[in-house]
Amino acid sequence: MPEDPKAPSSAELAFEDRALVALRADKGLSFREIAYFLCGTGLDAASADREATWLRERFRLLQKRLRRLSHEQRSSSFSLALWRSRAKLRALWKPSTRAT
């Protein structure tokens, strides 16, 4: 599926953040599975739960940031399009210079 050109690119994220998004959204892993994947299988249950909670919050903040970036990009492209259409209208509409 082609990417939305107005969506923020994943290049705007740090490597660790891109990995988290890929493992959660693309691969569908649970936060606990991601914790084991990133930290190794030597985690005890309490540490895995703490790490999963931290990853869940990190993912929530990433979603919020991506939504904000997407909104900013869409707003700026909308503003540019609006400015261009107004400029075209001004060029077409020129007051008559005829003397009455």
Side-chain angles (χ1 to χ4, degrees):
M1 174 195 280
E3 285 190 27
D4 181 3
K6 294 181 183 174
S9 78
S10 61
E12 296 177 24
L13 299 177
F15 174 77
E16 295 83 9
D17 295 338
R18 288 194 310 263
L20 176 58
V21 169
L23 291 171
R24 178 65 181 164
D26 298 342
K27 301 291 183 188
L29 297 179
S30 70
F31 290 107
R32 191 169 194 171
E33 291 170 326
I34 296 170
Y36 280 120
F37 180 80
L38 295 177
C39 299
T41 56
L43 285 179
D44 61 353
S47 296
D49 288 340
R50 263 193 318 275
E51 188 68 20
T53 301
W54 183 85
L55 289 169
R56 187 177 297 110
E57 180 63 16
R58 180 78 181 167
F59 188 76
R60 188 187 67 77
L61 293 173
L62 281 171
Q63 285 179 315
K64 190 175 181 179
R65 179 176 175 214
L66 288 171
R67 282 187 198 110
R68 182 180 46 81
L69 287 172
S70 177
H71 177 71
E72 287 172 1
Q73 286 179 353
R74 290 172 198 260
S75 294
S76 65
S77 63
F78 174 74
S79 297
L80 180 61
L82 184 61
W83 179 82
R84 285 181 178 159
S85 64
R86 286 182 179 170
K88 286 179 184 176
L89 286 173
R90 273 188 244 119
L92 292 174
W93 181 80
K94 294 182 181 177
S96 174
T97 56
R98 289 186 283 162
T100 54

